[in-house]
Amino acid sequence: SQVSREGLGYQRSQNGGQSVPLPGGQMSDYHRFGSSLNSPAKEETFFDGIDVSLTGIADLAGPKPPSSLKPGLEEVASQIEQAMKSFSVQKPAAVASSLAKGKLKVESLIAETEKSDLSAEAKYNVLHELRVKQHQFNDALVAALQLKLNADVIPAGQEDGMMAAMRGAASTFQMATPGLAFPVKVHLYQPTIPSLTVKSVKLVGTSRKDWSISSPAPPAALTSEKAADLTFKVKVPDDEPYTRPYFTRAGLQNAVYEVASSASRNTPLAPYPLQAVAQVEYEGANVELASVVQVVSKVNGPGTLRYPMPVGPALSVAMSPSAGVVPLGSKSINVSVRVHNNVKPAASPSVSLSLPEGWTATPKSIPVKFSQEGEEQTVAFTVTPKVAEGKEYTVTAVAELDGKSYSEGYVTIGYTGLRPYFLYSQAKYVTTGTDVKMAPDVPVAYVEGSGDDVPAALEQIGVHVSYLSAQDLANAELQKYSAIVLGVRAYAVRPDLIANNARLLQYVEKGGTVIVQYNTPEFDHNFGPYPYVMSNDPEEVTDEKSVVKILDPKNPVFNWPNKITEKDFDGWIEERGSKFLQAWDPKYTALLETHDAGQPEQKGGLVYARYGKGVYIYNAYAFYRQLPLGVPGAFRLFANMLSLPKNPEIK
């Protein structure tokens, strides 16, 4: 329980790190719903009635197993028992001989089983278990012999030399690109046996493309006194696939992933593109070990970091925003294109936009100059749109370099100590012509929470927010802002917000508007002007198509400058909202109701209160998803909330 809970603690994106139980027994209840084995009604272990011994593999062969199978398994079990008795932490190689004999015997059983007349199902089951044992023996031998294999990309010209060895691994490129040529240094070492026969050392491309590998001859033997260092020359195939997941979906509106037909579905991710494989022989047993080829970086603090080498595009291209709305009658909109360079040493691409019919962009093309790999630049275009209400449009960014076009980009997923992977998306801006109005001259401040894209989305309707720091919340003149928006989960991650909450209420009392977005139970401390209850397990409505009822149609939130109807809740993506209030003071007015099938009515998703001269709103609806994804109705309703300070219905 301690180990598993400590592991769960690394799920930090939501949980923030779980607590680890103190030492002691932990109770867990299990119920057996059915069994095909003869076992007591109340079992003592999960394995009652199951032969978990090594010789139990023979049971998988059915009533007539090959005559050599069970005796052979008993011999293997004997070698394992001998290895366990002989094991020494100081001299792990003492068990290597028993492990080698066990591995050889397993391999002979595999060969015999393959030639047997067992049924296809029985043969598959027995071979599966034997091959698992084969891999386990191999891994145990690698550990017992303390074999080490490392493969690093190295800078050209650093193939050897004492100074290079003293300096340690040098920083390299972080993303290989198709056509790139570079050296790879493979390091093989063992400290335990006077001499091991080396059968092969090679580099293998996992995509089975031709990497044009120039292989040096491996040494005939690997002695305990000296490591073997071999430098390979490789070139990334021009058609090498990028290192990316084998599962994709177009967006959050897609409920399932599309899986590549060629994918190995028993692996969490597609393999990294290049690995080193070495095979040595010990007492007649072949021992294989492998290592992915790695790139190297040096970071102050963590020091030298090695990560599996990925393959990606020469240029990674992304658009900002990637989704949104274009208000009807807009004369121009601004879009940005971010380009990341993976080309060494320099590159000079040009960037342009592919536009819908009738749209124009200024300038038509923008040249970019990169002086080194890993560099990023952002260029901006002014676009003149031509939109109709409700119609969807797509703008695509295209970067051109050396006769090739690039119109997708990636983000790196992971953090220090975790192997990185790469999520790709098209460099597109998908937008909808929308009848959305925003009151003029409404200065808006924003208190960032745990991270959302609402401020960037609001730019599309002409709202340019000012971010409030901890010092601003404590000392700044807040009344200069017509509205203050609190970001998602702000009360969970901004202790300064809690400390200065009274100033926010004073701001409302003097005429300001505060809009509190979705917050977790950290908000359940009556931070509003009147009491409310969220609970430790607040409700959420996950069906994005759940019916939304407007409870107070005359409320100013629904009438100016946009007339809000239930149609504005069409086309929402992924969910309606989360962390609805459960109860509230009568001075609050519930504005909307929705619920999932079988769920009680949820009226605590949007509550409105007048306090002094101002307005206070708690909003659990998922605007933080809808606005960045360009849902028109969400923009219209949020614009109304931001426009409340200018609403003629509010005196």
mmCIF file of all heavy atoms in Angstrom, residues 177-214:
data_model
loop_
_atom_site.group_PDB
_atom_site.id
_atom_site.type_symbol
_atom_site.label_atom_id
_atom_site.label_comp_id
_atom_site.label_asym_id
_atom_site.label_seq_id
_atom_site.Cartn_x
_atom_site.Cartn_y
_atom_site.Cartn_z
ATOM 1 N N THR A 177 16.195 14.905 -37.412
ATOM 2 C CA THR A 177 15.301 15.203 -38.531
ATOM 3 C C THR A 177 15.632 14.291 -39.712
ATOM 4 O O THR A 177 16.772 13.841 -39.850
ATOM 5 C CB THR A 177 15.438 16.673 -38.954
ATOM 6 O OG1 THR A 177 16.816 16.949 -39.270
ATOM 7 C CG2 THR A 177 14.981 17.605 -37.845
ATOM 8 N N PRO A 178 14.661 13.986 -40.563
ATOM 9 C CA PRO A 178 14.926 13.132 -41.721
ATOM 10 C C PRO A 178 16.106 13.653 -42.546
ATOM 11 O O PRO A 178 16.208 14.850 -42.830
ATOM 12 C CB PRO A 178 13.616 13.207 -42.501
ATOM 13 C CG PRO A 178 12.571 13.432 -41.446
ATOM 14 C CD PRO A 178 13.228 14.353 -40.453
ATOM 15 N N GLY A 179 17.009 12.737 -42.901
ATOM 16 C CA GLY A 179 18.180 13.096 -43.687
ATOM 17 C C GLY A 179 19.392 13.482 -42.873
ATOM 18 O O GLY A 179 20.493 13.614 -43.423
ATOM 19 N N LEU A 180 19.246 13.666 -41.562
ATOM 20 C CA LEU A 180 20.363 14.097 -40.714
ATOM 21 C C LEU A 180 21.343 12.946 -40.506
ATOM 22 O O LEU A 180 20.955 11.825 -40.199
ATOM 23 C CB LEU A 180 19.834 14.584 -39.372
ATOM 24 C CG LEU A 180 20.877 15.074 -38.360
ATOM 25 C CD1 LEU A 180 21.540 16.359 -38.852
ATOM 26 C CD2 LEU A 180 20.233 15.302 -36.987
ATOM 27 N N ALA A 181 22.636 13.228 -40.639
ATOM 28 C CA ALA A 181 23.692 12.237 -40.404
ATOM 29 C C ALA A 181 24.453 12.620 -39.133
ATOM 30 O O ALA A 181 24.738 13.803 -38.898
ATOM 31 C CB ALA A 181 24.640 12.167 -41.595
ATOM 32 N N PHE A 182 24.817 11.609 -38.325
ATOM 33 C CA PHE A 182 25.507 11.895 -37.062
ATOM 34 C C PHE A 182 26.125 10.598 -36.526
ATOM 35 O O PHE A 182 25.724 9.491 -36.916
ATOM 36 C CB PHE A 182 24.544 12.478 -36.028
ATOM 37 C CG PHE A 182 23.312 11.645 -35.812
ATOM 38 C CD1 PHE A 182 23.271 10.640 -34.850
ATOM 39 C CD2 PHE A 182 22.175 11.856 -36.581
ATOM 40 C CE1 PHE A 182 22.146 9.876 -34.657
ATOM 41 C CE2 PHE A 182 21.029 11.099 -36.389
ATOM 42 C CZ PHE A 182 21.018 10.105 -35.426
ATOM 43 N N PRO A 183 27.094 10.712 -35.629
ATOM 44 C CA PRO A 183 27.686 9.518 -35.012
ATOM 45 C C PRO A 183 26.960 9.126 -33.719
ATOM 46 O O PRO A 183 26.383 9.969 -33.026
ATOM 47 C CB PRO A 183 29.123 9.962 -34.711
ATOM 48 C CG PRO A 183 29.044 11.437 -34.553
ATOM 49 C CD PRO A 183 27.893 11.926 -35.390
ATOM 50 N N VAL A 184 27.009 7.841 -33.417
ATOM 51 C CA VAL A 184 26.464 7.300 -32.173
ATOM 52 C C VAL A 184 27.558 6.475 -31.500
ATOM 53 O O VAL A 184 28.168 5.603 -32.134
ATOM 54 C CB VAL A 184 25.232 6.408 -32.430
ATOM 55 C CG1 VAL A 184 24.774 5.727 -31.138
ATOM 56 C CG2 VAL A 184 24.096 7.222 -33.033
ATOM 57 N N LYS A 185 27.803 6.760 -30.245
ATOM 58 C CA LYS A 185 28.810 6.013 -29.485
ATOM 59 C C LYS A 185 28.112 4.982 -28.611
ATOM 60 O O LYS A 185 27.259 5.322 -27.787
ATOM 61 C CB LYS A 185 29.638 6.964 -28.628
ATOM 62 C CG LYS A 185 30.704 6.261 -27.790
ATOM 63 C CD LYS A 185 31.469 7.278 -26.956
ATOM 64 C CE LYS A 185 32.486 6.595 -26.056
ATOM 65 N NZ LYS A 185 33.207 7.583 -25.206
ATOM 66 N N VAL A 186 28.482 3.710 -28.786
ATOM 67 C CA VAL A 186 27.933 2.619 -27.987
ATOM 68 C C VAL A 186 28.997 2.167 -26.990
ATOM 69 O O VAL A 186 30.147 1.900 -27.368
ATOM 70 C CB VAL A 186 27.492 1.443 -28.877
ATOM 71 C CG1 VAL A 186 27.026 0.266 -28.021
ATOM 72 C CG2 VAL A 186 26.381 1.885 -29.819
ATOM 73 N N HIS A 187 28.602 2.092 -25.728
ATOM 74 C CA HIS A 187 29.513 1.755 -24.630
ATOM 75 C C HIS A 187 29.024 0.453 -23.998
ATOM 76 O O HIS A 187 27.895 0.383 -23.509
ATOM 77 C CB HIS A 187 29.511 2.905 -23.615
ATOM 78 C CG HIS A 187 30.404 2.688 -22.430
ATOM 79 N ND1 HIS A 187 31.749 2.957 -22.453
ATOM 80 C CD2 HIS A 187 30.135 2.223 -21.176
ATOM 81 C CE1 HIS A 187 32.277 2.696 -21.272
ATOM 82 N NE2 HIS A 187 31.314 2.241 -20.475
ATOM 83 N N LEU A 188 29.896 -0.583 -24.001
ATOM 84 C CA LEU A 188 29.543 -1.894 -23.454
ATOM 85 C C LEU A 188 30.560 -2.259 -22.378
ATOM 86 O O LEU A 188 31.776 -2.165 -22.599
ATOM 87 C CB LEU A 188 29.550 -2.942 -24.576
ATOM 88 C CG LEU A 188 29.166 -4.378 -24.211
ATOM 89 C CD1 LEU A 188 27.740 -4.450 -23.682
ATOM 90 C CD2 LEU A 188 29.333 -5.291 -25.424
ATOM 91 N N TYR A 189 30.040 -2.725 -21.205
ATOM 92 C CA TYR A 189 30.947 -2.956 -20.076
ATOM 93 C C TYR A 189 30.421 -4.083 -19.204
ATOM 94 O O TYR A 189 29.210 -4.253 -19.038
ATOM 95 C CB TYR A 189 31.076 -1.668 -19.248
ATOM 96 C CG TYR A 189 31.860 -1.823 -17.974
ATOM 97 C CD1 TYR A 189 33.251 -1.980 -18.013
ATOM 98 C CD2 TYR A 189 31.233 -1.811 -16.737
ATOM 99 C CE1 TYR A 189 33.987 -2.125 -16.844
ATOM 100 C CE2 TYR A 189 31.961 -1.948 -15.551
ATOM 101 C CZ TYR A 189 33.338 -2.110 -15.616
ATOM 102 O OH TYR A 189 34.062 -2.247 -14.462
ATOM 103 N N GLN A 190 31.375 -4.856 -18.642
ATOM 104 C CA GLN A 190 31.044 -5.838 -17.600
ATOM 105 C C GLN A 190 32.242 -5.960 -16.661
ATOM 106 O O GLN A 190 33.382 -6.040 -17.116
ATOM 107 C CB GLN A 190 30.660 -7.190 -18.216
ATOM 108 C CG GLN A 190 31.753 -7.905 -18.966
ATOM 109 C CD GLN A 190 32.624 -8.809 -18.083
ATOM 110 O OE1 GLN A 190 32.265 -9.081 -16.931
ATOM 111 N NE2 GLN A 190 33.763 -9.256 -18.609
ATOM 112 N N PRO A 191 32.027 -5.970 -15.340
ATOM 113 C CA PRO A 191 33.153 -5.981 -14.399
ATOM 114 C C PRO A 191 33.401 -7.322 -13.715
ATOM 115 O O PRO A 191 34.243 -7.398 -12.817
ATOM 116 C CB PRO A 191 32.695 -4.949 -13.361
ATOM 117 C CG PRO A 191 31.209 -5.170 -13.285
ATOM 118 C CD PRO A 191 30.767 -5.593 -14.676
ATOM 119 N N THR A 192 32.687 -8.395 -14.102
ATOM 120 C CA THR A 192 32.662 -9.575 -13.250
ATOM 121 C C THR A 192 33.398 -10.789 -13.792
ATOM 122 O O THR A 192 33.942 -11.584 -13.033
ATOM 123 C CB THR A 192 31.201 -9.980 -12.983
ATOM 124 O OG1 THR A 192 30.551 -10.225 -14.245
ATOM 125 C CG2 THR A 192 30.453 -8.882 -12.246
ATOM 126 N N ILE A 193 33.382 -10.999 -15.112
ATOM 127 C CA ILE A 193 33.930 -12.206 -15.719
ATOM 128 C C ILE A 193 35.243 -11.851 -16.434
ATOM 129 O O ILE A 193 35.304 -10.828 -17.129
ATOM 130 C CB ILE A 193 32.925 -12.809 -16.729
ATOM 131 C CG1 ILE A 193 31.584 -13.068 -16.060
ATOM 132 C CG2 ILE A 193 33.491 -14.103 -17.331
ATOM 133 C CD1 ILE A 193 31.640 -14.030 -14.895
ATOM 134 N N PRO A 194 36.276 -12.650 -16.277
ATOM 135 C CA PRO A 194 37.546 -12.314 -16.964
ATOM 136 C C PRO A 194 37.360 -12.028 -18.440
ATOM 137 O O PRO A 194 37.967 -11.098 -18.977
ATOM 138 C CB PRO A 194 38.406 -13.566 -16.725
ATOM 139 C CG PRO A 194 37.883 -14.130 -15.439
ATOM 140 C CD PRO A 194 36.403 -13.867 -15.449
ATOM 141 N N SER A 195 36.492 -12.806 -19.107
ATOM 142 C CA SER A 195 36.284 -12.565 -20.532
ATOM 143 C C SER A 195 34.941 -13.146 -20.957
ATOM 144 O O SER A 195 34.610 -14.286 -20.608
ATOM 145 C CB SER A 195 37.415 -13.199 -21.352
ATOM 146 O OG SER A 195 37.230 -12.958 -22.739
ATOM 147 N N LEU A 196 34.192 -12.342 -21.683
ATOM 148 C CA LEU A 196 32.923 -12.772 -22.257
ATOM 149 C C LEU A 196 33.023 -12.683 -23.779
ATOM 150 O O LEU A 196 33.528 -11.690 -24.312
ATOM 151 C CB LEU A 196 31.760 -11.877 -21.795
ATOM 152 C CG LEU A 196 31.120 -12.143 -20.435
ATOM 153 C CD1 LEU A 196 30.071 -11.076 -20.155
ATOM 154 C CD2 LEU A 196 30.483 -13.524 -20.390
ATOM 155 N N THR A 197 32.531 -13.712 -24.446
ATOM 156 C CA THR A 197 32.519 -13.669 -25.907
ATOM 157 C C THR A 197 31.463 -12.677 -26.390
ATOM 158 O O THR A 197 30.309 -12.723 -25.948
ATOM 159 C CB THR A 197 32.203 -15.055 -26.482
ATOM 160 O OG1 THR A 197 33.210 -15.979 -26.057
ATOM 161 C CG2 THR A 197 32.166 -15.020 -28.007
ATOM 162 N N VAL A 198 31.870 -11.760 -27.267
ATOM 163 C CA VAL A 198 30.939 -10.794 -27.856
ATOM 164 C C VAL A 198 30.491 -11.344 -29.210
ATOM 165 O O VAL A 198 31.310 -11.543 -30.114
ATOM 166 C CB VAL A 198 31.591 -9.408 -28.031
ATOM 167 C CG1 VAL A 198 30.607 -8.446 -28.695
ATOM 168 C CG2 VAL A 198 32.035 -8.869 -26.681
ATOM 169 N N LYS A 199 29.226 -11.596 -29.343
ATOM 170 C CA LYS A 199 28.704 -12.145 -30.590
ATOM 171 C C LYS A 199 28.311 -11.049 -31.579
ATOM 172 O O LYS A 199 28.497 -11.197 -32.785
ATOM 173 C CB LYS A 199 27.509 -13.058 -30.306
ATOM 174 C CG LYS A 199 27.859 -14.229 -29.386
ATOM 175 C CD LYS A 199 26.779 -15.291 -29.368
ATOM 176 C CE LYS A 199 26.775 -16.097 -30.643
ATOM 177 N NZ LYS A 199 25.824 -17.235 -30.601
ATOM 178 N N SER A 200 27.748 -9.931 -31.053
ATOM 179 C CA SER A 200 27.376 -8.837 -31.955
ATOM 180 C C SER A 200 27.081 -7.580 -31.155
ATOM 181 O O SER A 200 26.667 -7.648 -29.990
ATOM 182 C CB SER A 200 26.151 -9.211 -32.802
ATOM 183 O OG SER A 200 25.009 -9.376 -31.979
ATOM 184 N N VAL A 201 27.311 -6.433 -31.777
ATOM 185 C CA VAL A 201 26.872 -5.125 -31.283
ATOM 186 C C VAL A 201 26.361 -4.372 -32.501
ATOM 187 O O VAL A 201 27.095 -4.191 -33.480
ATOM 188 C CB VAL A 201 28.022 -4.330 -30.608
ATOM 189 C CG1 VAL A 201 27.491 -2.995 -30.101
ATOM 190 C CG2 VAL A 201 28.643 -5.121 -29.469
ATOM 191 N N LYS A 202 25.130 -3.940 -32.462
ATOM 192 C CA LYS A 202 24.567 -3.291 -33.641
ATOM 193 C C LYS A 202 23.535 -2.243 -33.244
ATOM 194 O O LYS A 202 23.060 -2.203 -32.101
ATOM 195 C CB LYS A 202 23.918 -4.333 -34.563
ATOM 196 C CG LYS A 202 22.859 -5.185 -33.888
ATOM 197 C CD LYS A 202 22.381 -6.291 -34.818
ATOM 198 C CE LYS A 202 21.357 -7.201 -34.118
ATOM 199 N NZ LYS A 202 20.883 -8.292 -35.006
ATOM 200 N N LEU A 203 23.213 -1.382 -34.203
ATOM 201 C CA LEU A 203 22.119 -0.429 -34.067
ATOM 202 C C LEU A 203 20.948 -0.922 -34.908
ATOM 203 O O LEU A 203 21.141 -1.409 -36.025
ATOM 204 C CB LEU A 203 22.533 0.971 -34.523
ATOM 205 C CG LEU A 203 23.638 1.670 -33.723
ATOM 206 C CD1 LEU A 203 23.862 3.079 -34.269
ATOM 207 C CD2 LEU A 203 23.303 1.735 -32.238
ATOM 208 N N VAL A 204 19.741 -0.759 -34.371
ATOM 209 C CA VAL A 204 18.551 -1.262 -35.042
ATOM 210 C C VAL A 204 17.500 -0.158 -35.087
ATOM 211 O O VAL A 204 17.185 0.449 -34.050
ATOM 212 C CB VAL A 204 17.976 -2.493 -34.306
ATOM 213 C CG1 VAL A 204 16.709 -2.983 -35.000
ATOM 214 C CG2 VAL A 204 19.018 -3.604 -34.241
ATOM 215 N N GLY A 205 16.978 0.128 -36.261
ATOM 216 C CA GLY A 205 15.872 1.068 -36.399
ATOM 217 C C GLY A 205 14.555 0.356 -36.138
ATOM 218 O O GLY A 205 14.282 -0.696 -36.733
ATOM 219 N N THR A 206 13.736 0.879 -35.243
ATOM 220 C CA THR A 206 12.499 0.190 -34.871
ATOM 221 C C THR A 206 11.445 0.237 -35.975
ATOM 222 O O THR A 206 10.521 -0.575 -35.971
ATOM 223 C CB THR A 206 11.926 0.783 -33.585
ATOM 224 O OG1 THR A 206 11.688 2.192 -33.770
ATOM 225 C CG2 THR A 206 12.884 0.601 -32.416
ATOM 226 N N SER A 207 11.571 1.195 -36.908
ATOM 227 C CA SER A 207 10.609 1.268 -38.010
ATOM 228 C C SER A 207 10.996 0.357 -39.176
ATOM 229 O O SER A 207 10.247 0.253 -40.152
ATOM 230 C CB SER A 207 10.503 2.706 -38.525
ATOM 231 O OG SER A 207 11.715 3.090 -39.173
ATOM 232 N N ARG A 208 12.203 -0.250 -39.074
ATOM 233 C CA ARG A 208 12.738 -1.128 -40.117
ATOM 234 C C ARG A 208 13.075 -0.384 -41.405
ATOM 235 O O ARG A 208 13.203 -0.985 -42.463
ATOM 236 C CB ARG A 208 11.799 -2.295 -40.390
ATOM 237 C CG ARG A 208 11.551 -3.160 -39.155
ATOM 238 C CD ARG A 208 10.667 -4.351 -39.448
ATOM 239 N NE ARG A 208 10.437 -5.119 -38.231
ATOM 240 C CZ ARG A 208 9.678 -6.210 -38.168
ATOM 241 N NH1 ARG A 208 9.073 -6.645 -39.273
ATOM 242 N NH2 ARG A 208 9.509 -6.854 -37.028
ATOM 243 N N LYS A 209 13.215 0.923 -41.304
ATOM 244 C CA LYS A 209 13.698 1.699 -42.444
ATOM 245 C C LYS A 209 15.231 1.593 -42.507
ATOM 246 O O LYS A 209 15.890 1.158 -41.553
ATOM 247 C CB LYS A 209 13.287 3.167 -42.309
ATOM 248 C CG LYS A 209 11.788 3.404 -42.122
ATOM 249 C CD LYS A 209 11.032 3.275 -43.407
ATOM 250 C CE LYS A 209 9.568 3.684 -43.233
ATOM 251 N NZ LYS A 209 8.795 3.553 -44.483
ATOM 252 N N ASP A 210 15.798 2.019 -43.620
ATOM 253 C CA ASP A 210 17.246 1.943 -43.825
ATOM 254 C C ASP A 210 17.919 3.176 -43.219
ATOM 255 O O ASP A 210 17.800 4.282 -43.748
ATOM 256 C CB ASP A 210 17.559 1.839 -45.311
ATOM 257 C CG ASP A 210 19.057 1.725 -45.573
ATOM 258 O OD1 ASP A 210 19.828 1.538 -44.604
ATOM 259 O OD2 ASP A 210 19.461 1.829 -46.749
ATOM 260 N N TRP A 211 18.655 2.985 -42.118
ATOM 261 C CA TRP A 211 19.348 4.079 -41.445
ATOM 262 C C TRP A 211 20.776 4.271 -41.973
ATOM 263 O O TRP A 211 21.536 5.039 -41.386
ATOM 264 C CB TRP A 211 19.383 3.826 -39.937
ATOM 265 C CG TRP A 211 18.102 4.224 -39.253
ATOM 266 C CD1 TRP A 211 16.899 3.597 -39.335
ATOM 267 C CD2 TRP A 211 17.906 5.359 -38.409
ATOM 268 N NE1 TRP A 211 15.954 4.259 -38.593
ATOM 269 C CE2 TRP A 211 16.546 5.350 -38.006
ATOM 270 C CE3 TRP A 211 18.724 6.378 -37.933
ATOM 271 C CZ2 TRP A 211 15.998 6.321 -37.167
ATOM 272 C CZ3 TRP A 211 18.186 7.342 -37.088
ATOM 273 C CH2 TRP A 211 16.841 7.315 -36.713
ATOM 274 N N SER A 212 21.156 3.592 -43.032
ATOM 275 C CA SER A 212 22.510 3.721 -43.623
ATOM 276 C C SER A 212 23.582 3.595 -42.547
ATOM 277 O O SER A 212 24.488 4.432 -42.428
ATOM 278 C CB SER A 212 22.649 5.070 -44.348
ATOM 279 O OG SER A 212 21.650 5.209 -45.340
ATOM 280 N N ILE A 213 23.478 2.549 -41.746
ATOM 281 C CA ILE A 213 24.349 2.398 -40.585
ATOM 282 C C ILE A 213 25.712 1.860 -41.009
ATOM 283 O O ILE A 213 25.819 0.823 -41.669
ATOM 284 C CB ILE A 213 23.702 1.455 -39.550
ATOM 285 C CG1 ILE A 213 22.385 2.053 -39.052
ATOM 286 C CG2 ILE A 213 24.642 1.210 -38.379
ATOM 287 C CD1 ILE A 213 21.561 1.108 -38.207
ATOM 288 N N SER A 214 26.746 2.611 -40.620
ATOM 289 C CA SER A 214 28.126 2.172 -40.821
ATOM 290 C C SER A 214 28.606 1.583 -39.500
ATOM 291 O O SER A 214 28.780 2.303 -38.513
ATOM 292 C CB SER A 214 29.007 3.345 -41.244
ATOM 293 O OG SER A 214 30.353 2.959 -41.291
#
